[in-house]
Amino acid sequence: MTQAIEVRGLSRRYGGPRGFEAVKGISFDVARGELFALLGTNGAGKTSTMELVEGLDRPSGGTVRLLGHDPFAERAAVRARIGVMLQDAGFPADLTVAETARMWAGTLPDARPVPEALELAGIGHRARVRVKQLSGGERRRLDLALAVLGRPDVLFLDEPTTGLDPESRQNTWRVIRDLLVAGTTVLLTTHYLDEAQALADRLAIMDAGSIVTSGTVAQVVGAYPARIIFRLGDPTDIPDLPGAPTIDRDGPDVVIKTDELQATLSALLRWADDHDVTLRDLDARSASLEEAFLTIAGGHR
Ligand SMILES: Nc1ncnc2c1ncn2[C@@H]1O[C@H](COP(=O)(O)OP(=O)(O)OP(=O)(O)O)[C@@H](O)[C@H]1O
């Protein structure tokens, strides 16, 4: 078996059969050793999905296989093999960092030494500090230390770098990359598109409970056009341009979308030059994950 996670037609309804459907029949696979990122706007259903894959609740519909098991019905078979970093773990505030990790290690069959896990997550220097005295970013690092304490085969990271300073984010990324090299499978949710771009082998963008697009970063981005944006002073007619672009005009504002940025842009610049037209605030950019995300998220506003 090469898939660590198999999700088929998964749905989650809150509040009974007539309640709110937060996840609407989604499917995806995550191969062993792969990092799969779930992206989406607030309330898209990322955490609801992740919790079902972790086995915290029974799906309203569809199936989840985690390391070959049903994670809800066969919880005992998977619990020791997964590590979970929740958005808000809620540990006793009066314990120190090391005491918290020791307590957690006591529940695991093959825990790393506590100092090793704390060092790995960059929180070793705060081992004797009480949890309630940690900053928000330090709490995230403690959460990460606890998630990796049991040497998990599959690691669930729900917004792992929210609230971290840039250096700590880089550190967390390094930790995640090292774990991937060691063969760990990771399911990640994040609001940082650069984080997904930097870490994800594959990703899915969710909106309103459904997966709108998924694939490698290159595949997802490749499905969206490049954009050329500028303002025209006069009501000049824009000529036909190569690359079969779509041209939207709103008063002086022009947005051109094209799959052949270089060809379209070159012709546009030649035309502007020949006709002495100024393209004010000219901005040309390739498709990006941000573009794909905003198009998907914006399409439902
Ligand atoms: N226990 C619950 N009872 C009822 N509705 C819930 C519950 N948990 C989540 N929801 C709703 O389900 C939808 C999806 O929530 P979820 O937390 O999965 O989204 P998300 O994509 O993780 O969002 P965020 O980026 O804000 O973390 C939201 O509309 C949310 O209000």
Side-chain angles (χ1 to χ4, degrees), residues 12-15 20-23 39-51 87 158-159 189-191 206 209:
R12 186 170 192 179
R13 196 178 277 282
Y14 293 108
F20 171 70
E21 195 172 33
V23 181
L39 309 180
T41 46
N42 290 131
K46 305 178 295 294
T47 301
S48 298
T49 301
M50 191 132 164
E51 287 176 354
Q87 277 189 44
D158 201 355
E159 299 185 24
T189 74
T190 183
H191 285 292
M206 292 186 71

mmCIF file of all heavy atoms in Angstrom, residues 12-15 20-23 39-51 87 158-159 189-191 206 209, ligand 1:
data_model
loop_
_atom_site.group_PDB
_atom_site.id
_atom_site.type_symbol
_atom_site.label_atom_id
_atom_site.label_comp_id
_atom_site.label_asym_id
_atom_site.label_seq_id
_atom_site.Cartn_x
_atom_site.Cartn_y
_atom_site.Cartn_z
ATOM 1 N N ARG A 12 -19.305 15.917 5.956
ATOM 2 C CA ARG A 12 -19.478 16.150 7.387
ATOM 3 C C ARG A 12 -20.594 17.159 7.581
ATOM 4 O O ARG A 12 -20.544 18.277 7.053
ATOM 5 C CB ARG A 12 -18.192 16.683 8.003
ATOM 6 C CG ARG A 12 -18.299 16.807 9.517
ATOM 7 C CD ARG A 12 -16.977 17.102 10.145
ATOM 8 N NE ARG A 12 -17.029 16.951 11.584
ATOM 9 C CZ ARG A 12 -16.009 17.121 12.403
ATOM 10 N NH1 ARG A 12 -14.829 17.451 11.903
ATOM 11 N NH2 ARG A 12 -16.144 16.968 13.699
ATOM 12 N N ARG A 13 -21.578 16.722 8.340
ATOM 13 C CA ARG A 13 -22.736 17.578 8.581
ATOM 14 C C ARG A 13 -22.786 17.866 10.071
ATOM 15 O O ARG A 13 -22.638 16.958 10.889
ATOM 16 C CB ARG A 13 -23.990 16.800 8.149
ATOM 17 C CG ARG A 13 -25.227 17.600 7.965
ATOM 18 C CD ARG A 13 -26.351 16.689 7.502
ATOM 19 N NE ARG A 13 -26.344 16.442 6.081
ATOM 20 C CZ ARG A 13 -26.778 17.300 5.168
ATOM 21 N NH1 ARG A 13 -27.257 18.468 5.532
ATOM 22 N NH2 ARG A 13 -26.752 17.002 3.899
ATOM 23 N N TYR A 14 -22.938 19.120 10.422
ATOM 24 C CA TYR A 14 -23.091 19.486 11.827
ATOM 25 C C TYR A 14 -24.572 19.701 12.121
ATOM 26 O O TYR A 14 -25.285 20.286 11.312
ATOM 27 C CB TYR A 14 -22.343 20.793 12.138
ATOM 28 C CG TYR A 14 -20.843 20.675 12.023
ATOM 29 C CD1 TYR A 14 -20.168 21.278 10.964
ATOM 30 C CD2 TYR A 14 -20.099 19.975 12.958
ATOM 31 C CE1 TYR A 14 -18.779 21.189 10.861
ATOM 32 C CE2 TYR A 14 -18.716 19.875 12.865
ATOM 33 C CZ TYR A 14 -18.061 20.495 11.814
ATOM 34 O OH TYR A 14 -16.697 20.394 11.711
ATOM 35 N N GLY A 15 -25.017 19.211 13.288
ATOM 36 C CA GLY A 15 -26.386 19.504 13.714
ATOM 37 C C GLY A 15 -27.421 18.555 13.123
ATOM 38 O O GLY A 15 -28.534 18.981 12.809
ATOM 39 N N PHE A 20 -26.044 21.648 8.939
ATOM 40 C CA PHE A 20 -25.193 22.351 7.986
ATOM 41 C C PHE A 20 -24.107 21.423 7.452
ATOM 42 O O PHE A 20 -23.386 20.798 8.230
ATOM 43 C CB PHE A 20 -24.565 23.559 8.686
ATOM 44 C CG PHE A 20 -23.509 24.238 7.889
ATOM 45 C CD1 PHE A 20 -23.844 24.955 6.740
ATOM 46 C CD2 PHE A 20 -22.175 24.167 8.264
ATOM 47 C CE1 PHE A 20 -22.867 25.580 5.992
ATOM 48 C CE2 PHE A 20 -21.184 24.800 7.514
ATOM 49 C CZ PHE A 20 -21.542 25.500 6.382
ATOM 50 N N GLU A 21 -24.009 21.305 6.131
ATOM 51 C CA GLU A 21 -23.002 20.412 5.536
ATOM 52 C C GLU A 21 -21.707 21.197 5.289
ATOM 53 O O GLU A 21 -21.595 21.969 4.330
ATOM 54 C CB GLU A 21 -23.522 19.814 4.221
ATOM 55 C CG GLU A 21 -22.683 18.640 3.778
ATOM 56 C CD GLU A 21 -23.277 17.902 2.590
ATOM 57 O OE1 GLU A 21 -23.911 18.561 1.739
ATOM 58 O OE2 GLU A 21 -23.101 16.676 2.506
ATOM 59 N N ALA A 22 -20.722 20.986 6.164
ATOM 60 C CA ALA A 22 -19.462 21.743 6.083
ATOM 61 C C ALA A 22 -18.490 21.121 5.089
ATOM 62 O O ALA A 22 -17.636 21.812 4.528
ATOM 63 C CB ALA A 22 -18.814 21.818 7.462
ATOM 64 N N VAL A 23 -18.587 19.801 4.882
ATOM 65 C CA VAL A 23 -17.748 19.105 3.899
ATOM 66 C C VAL A 23 -18.690 18.313 2.997
ATOM 67 O O VAL A 23 -19.532 17.559 3.483
ATOM 68 C CB VAL A 23 -16.735 18.161 4.594
ATOM 69 C CG1 VAL A 23 -15.864 17.456 3.572
ATOM 70 C CG2 VAL A 23 -15.868 18.924 5.587
ATOM 71 N N LEU A 39 -5.992 24.125 1.260
ATOM 72 C CA LEU A 39 -6.110 25.584 1.303
ATOM 73 C C LEU A 39 -7.579 25.962 1.157
ATOM 74 O O LEU A 39 -8.385 25.184 0.650
ATOM 75 C CB LEU A 39 -5.328 26.232 0.154
ATOM 76 C CG LEU A 39 -3.873 25.818 -0.027
ATOM 77 C CD1 LEU A 39 -3.279 26.564 -1.223
ATOM 78 C CD2 LEU A 39 -3.086 26.147 1.217
ATOM 79 N N GLY A 40 -7.898 27.173 1.571
ATOM 80 C CA GLY A 40 -9.283 27.647 1.407
ATOM 81 C C GLY A 40 -9.548 28.809 2.326
ATOM 82 O O GLY A 40 -8.806 29.044 3.287
ATOM 83 N N THR A 41 -10.605 29.519 2.040
ATOM 84 C CA THR A 41 -10.970 30.676 2.862
ATOM 85 C C THR A 41 -11.461 30.207 4.237
ATOM 86 O O THR A 41 -11.686 29.012 4.441
ATOM 87 C CB THR A 41 -12.115 31.454 2.187
ATOM 88 O OG1 THR A 41 -13.093 30.495 1.774
ATOM 89 C CG2 THR A 41 -11.645 32.226 0.991
ATOM 90 N N ASN A 42 -11.650 31.136 5.159
ATOM 91 C CA ASN A 42 -12.209 30.798 6.474
ATOM 92 C C ASN A 42 -13.534 30.080 6.273
ATOM 93 O O ASN A 42 -14.372 30.524 5.502
ATOM 94 C CB ASN A 42 -12.458 32.056 7.315
ATOM 95 C CG ASN A 42 -11.167 32.721 7.766
ATOM 96 O OD1 ASN A 42 -10.997 33.923 7.610
ATOM 97 N ND2 ASN A 42 -10.258 31.960 8.297
ATOM 98 N N GLY A 43 -13.693 28.960 6.967
ATOM 99 C CA GLY A 43 -14.961 28.238 6.900
ATOM 100 C C GLY A 43 -15.111 27.347 5.688
ATOM 101 O O GLY A 43 -16.180 26.773 5.462
ATOM 102 N N ALA A 44 -14.033 27.178 4.904
ATOM 103 C CA ALA A 44 -14.115 26.354 3.687
ATOM 104 C C ALA A 44 -14.298 24.871 4.012
ATOM 105 O O ALA A 44 -14.775 24.105 3.183
ATOM 106 C CB ALA A 44 -12.862 26.548 2.834
ATOM 107 N N GLY A 45 -13.879 24.461 5.207
ATOM 108 C CA GLY A 45 -14.049 23.060 5.602
ATOM 109 C C GLY A 45 -12.746 22.308 5.814
ATOM 110 O O GLY A 45 -12.752 21.079 5.935
ATOM 111 N N LYS A 46 -11.635 23.041 5.898
ATOM 112 C CA LYS A 46 -10.316 22.392 6.027
ATOM 113 C C LYS A 46 -10.185 21.639 7.350
ATOM 114 O O LYS A 46 -9.841 20.467 7.379
ATOM 115 C CB LYS A 46 -9.197 23.446 5.925
ATOM 116 C CG LYS A 46 -9.261 24.282 4.661
ATOM 117 C CD LYS A 46 -8.177 25.343 4.628
ATOM 118 C CE LYS A 46 -8.286 26.406 5.692
ATOM 119 N NZ LYS A 46 -9.486 27.284 5.570
ATOM 120 N N THR A 47 -10.457 22.342 8.455
ATOM 121 C CA THR A 47 -10.327 21.705 9.772
ATOM 122 C C THR A 47 -11.338 20.577 9.919
ATOM 123 O O THR A 47 -11.005 19.504 10.450
ATOM 124 C CB THR A 47 -10.517 22.752 10.894
ATOM 125 O OG1 THR A 47 -9.523 23.770 10.725
ATOM 126 C CG2 THR A 47 -10.379 22.138 12.271
ATOM 127 N N SER A 48 -12.546 20.777 9.435
ATOM 128 C CA SER A 48 -13.569 19.728 9.503
ATOM 129 C C SER A 48 -13.093 18.480 8.779
ATOM 130 O O SER A 48 -13.304 17.352 9.237
ATOM 131 C CB SER A 48 -14.876 20.228 8.874
ATOM 132 O OG SER A 48 -15.369 21.328 9.579
ATOM 133 N N THR A 49 -12.436 18.653 7.638
ATOM 134 C CA THR A 49 -11.893 17.525 6.881
ATOM 135 C C THR A 49 -10.772 16.852 7.654
ATOM 136 O O THR A 49 -10.743 15.627 7.814
ATOM 137 C CB THR A 49 -11.354 18.018 5.515
ATOM 138 O OG1 THR A 49 -12.421 18.633 4.795
ATOM 139 C CG2 THR A 49 -10.763 16.883 4.704
ATOM 140 N N MET A 50 -9.844 17.679 8.129
ATOM 141 C CA MET A 50 -8.680 17.148 8.834
ATOM 142 C C MET A 50 -9.113 16.311 10.046
ATOM 143 O O MET A 50 -8.567 15.241 10.288
ATOM 144 C CB MET A 50 -7.842 18.328 9.304
ATOM 145 C CG MET A 50 -6.507 17.927 9.817
ATOM 146 S SD MET A 50 -5.405 18.997 9.032
ATOM 147 C CE MET A 50 -4.027 19.162 9.529
ATOM 148 N N GLU A 51 -10.089 16.800 10.768
ATOM 149 C CA GLU A 51 -10.545 16.067 11.962
ATOM 150 C C GLU A 51 -11.117 14.696 11.596
ATOM 151 O O GLU A 51 -10.950 13.734 12.342
ATOM 152 C CB GLU A 51 -11.581 16.900 12.724
ATOM 153 C CG GLU A 51 -10.947 18.077 13.445
ATOM 154 C CD GLU A 51 -11.962 18.972 14.136
ATOM 155 O OE1 GLU A 51 -13.187 18.760 13.983
ATOM 156 O OE2 GLU A 51 -11.521 19.913 14.824
ATOM 157 N N GLN A 87 -5.237 23.633 16.106
ATOM 158 C CA GLN A 87 -5.176 25.105 16.131
ATOM 159 C C GLN A 87 -5.109 25.609 17.562
ATOM 160 O O GLN A 87 -4.503 26.622 17.847
ATOM 161 C CB GLN A 87 -6.396 25.694 15.422
ATOM 162 C CG GLN A 87 -6.215 25.762 13.921
ATOM 163 C CD GLN A 87 -7.330 26.527 13.261
ATOM 164 O OE1 GLN A 87 -7.725 27.580 13.733
ATOM 165 N NE2 GLN A 87 -7.838 26.006 12.170
ATOM 166 N N ASP A 158 -2.395 21.761 11.558
ATOM 167 C CA ASP A 158 -3.473 22.711 11.276
ATOM 168 C C ASP A 158 -2.948 24.117 11.529
ATOM 169 O O ASP A 158 -2.762 24.519 12.680
ATOM 170 C CB ASP A 158 -4.674 22.391 12.184
ATOM 171 C CG ASP A 158 -5.980 22.959 11.640
ATOM 172 O OD1 ASP A 158 -5.938 23.680 10.619
ATOM 173 O OD2 ASP A 158 -7.038 22.691 12.238
ATOM 174 N N GLU A 159 -2.672 24.831 10.456
ATOM 175 C CA GLU A 159 -2.114 26.195 10.521
ATOM 176 C C GLU A 159 -0.913 26.269 11.466
ATOM 177 O O GLU A 159 -0.917 27.024 12.442
ATOM 178 C CB GLU A 159 -3.197 27.189 10.946
ATOM 179 C CG GLU A 159 -4.352 27.222 9.962
ATOM 180 C CD GLU A 159 -5.377 28.291 10.293
ATOM 181 O OE1 GLU A 159 -5.014 29.271 10.970
ATOM 182 O OE2 GLU A 159 -6.526 28.150 9.875
ATOM 183 N N THR A 189 -2.914 22.289 6.826
ATOM 184 C CA THR A 189 -3.787 23.385 6.397
ATOM 185 C C THR A 189 -3.029 24.673 6.643
ATOM 186 O O THR A 189 -2.261 24.782 7.607
ATOM 187 C CB THR A 189 -5.123 23.467 7.164
ATOM 188 O OG1 THR A 189 -4.866 23.986 8.470
ATOM 189 C CG2 THR A 189 -5.807 22.130 7.251
ATOM 190 N N THR A 190 -3.205 25.628 5.771
ATOM 191 C CA THR A 190 -2.521 26.906 5.949
ATOM 192 C C THR A 190 -3.267 28.005 5.210
ATOM 193 O O THR A 190 -3.954 27.746 4.221
ATOM 194 C CB THR A 190 -1.062 26.829 5.451
ATOM 195 O OG1 THR A 190 -0.418 28.078 5.700
ATOM 196 C CG2 THR A 190 -0.966 26.517 3.963
ATOM 197 N N HIS A 191 -3.120 29.229 5.722
ATOM 198 C CA HIS A 191 -3.623 30.396 4.995
ATOM 199 C C HIS A 191 -2.499 31.085 4.241
ATOM 200 O O HIS A 191 -2.728 32.071 3.549
ATOM 201 C CB HIS A 191 -4.271 31.384 5.958
ATOM 202 C CG HIS A 191 -5.618 30.925 6.424
ATOM 203 N ND1 HIS A 191 -6.697 30.859 5.577
ATOM 204 C CD2 HIS A 191 -6.052 30.474 7.615
ATOM 205 C CE1 HIS A 191 -7.745 30.397 6.244
ATOM 206 N NE2 HIS A 191 -7.373 30.150 7.481
ATOM 207 N N MET A 206 -10.046 24.359 -1.255
ATOM 208 C CA MET A 206 -11.447 24.110 -0.899
ATOM 209 C C MET A 206 -12.219 25.417 -0.879
ATOM 210 O O MET A 206 -11.678 26.475 -0.557
ATOM 211 C CB MET A 206 -11.552 23.472 0.495
ATOM 212 C CG MET A 206 -11.013 22.059 0.562
ATOM 213 S SD MET A 206 -11.325 21.301 2.186
ATOM 214 C CE MET A 206 -13.112 21.039 2.121
ATOM 215 N N GLY A 209 -16.897 23.842 1.358
ATOM 216 C CA GLY A 209 -17.066 22.409 1.586
ATOM 217 C C GLY A 209 -16.671 21.503 0.437
ATOM 218 O O GLY A 209 -16.723 20.284 0.574
HETATM 219 N N1 LIG B 1 -18.936 22.068 15.719
HETATM 220 C C1 LIG B 1 -19.498 22.754 14.731
HETATM 221 N N2 LIG B 1 -20.834 22.942 14.693
HETATM 222 C C2 LIG B 1 -21.431 23.617 13.688
HETATM 223 N N3 LIG B 1 -20.766 24.157 12.644
HETATM 224 C C3 LIG B 1 -19.425 24.008 12.633
HETATM 225 C C4 LIG B 1 -18.721 23.310 13.673
HETATM 226 N N4 LIG B 1 -17.402 23.327 13.370
HETATM 227 C C5 LIG B 1 -17.287 24.011 12.204
HETATM 228 N N5 LIG B 1 -18.501 24.414 11.779
HETATM 229 C C6 LIG B 1 -18.779 25.167 10.535
HETATM 230 O O1 LIG B 1 -18.298 24.414 9.442
HETATM 231 C C7 LIG B 1 -17.723 25.259 8.459
HETATM 232 C C8 LIG B 1 -16.316 24.797 8.172
HETATM 233 O O2 LIG B 1 -15.498 25.051 9.307
HETATM 234 P P1 LIG B 1 -13.969 24.627 9.350
HETATM 235 O O3 LIG B 1 -13.442 24.990 10.697
HETATM 236 O O4 LIG B 1 -13.815 23.244 8.894
HETATM 237 O O5 LIG B 1 -13.363 25.600 8.241
HETATM 238 P P2 LIG B 1 -11.841 25.953 7.930
HETATM 239 O O6 LIG B 1 -11.697 25.870 6.457
HETATM 240 O O7 LIG B 1 -10.936 25.115 8.747
HETATM 241 O O8 LIG B 1 -11.807 27.461 8.392
HETATM 242 P P3 LIG B 1 -10.597 28.339 9.043
HETATM 243 O O9 LIG B 1 -9.691 28.699 7.921
HETATM 244 O O10 LIG B 1 -11.331 29.525 9.559
HETATM 245 O O11 LIG B 1 -9.940 27.522 10.112
HETATM 246 C C9 LIG B 1 -17.811 26.666 9.012
HETATM 247 O O12 LIG B 1 -18.945 27.288 8.437
HETATM 248 C C10 LIG B 1 -18.013 26.469 10.496
HETATM 249 O O13 LIG B 1 -18.757 27.515 11.057
#
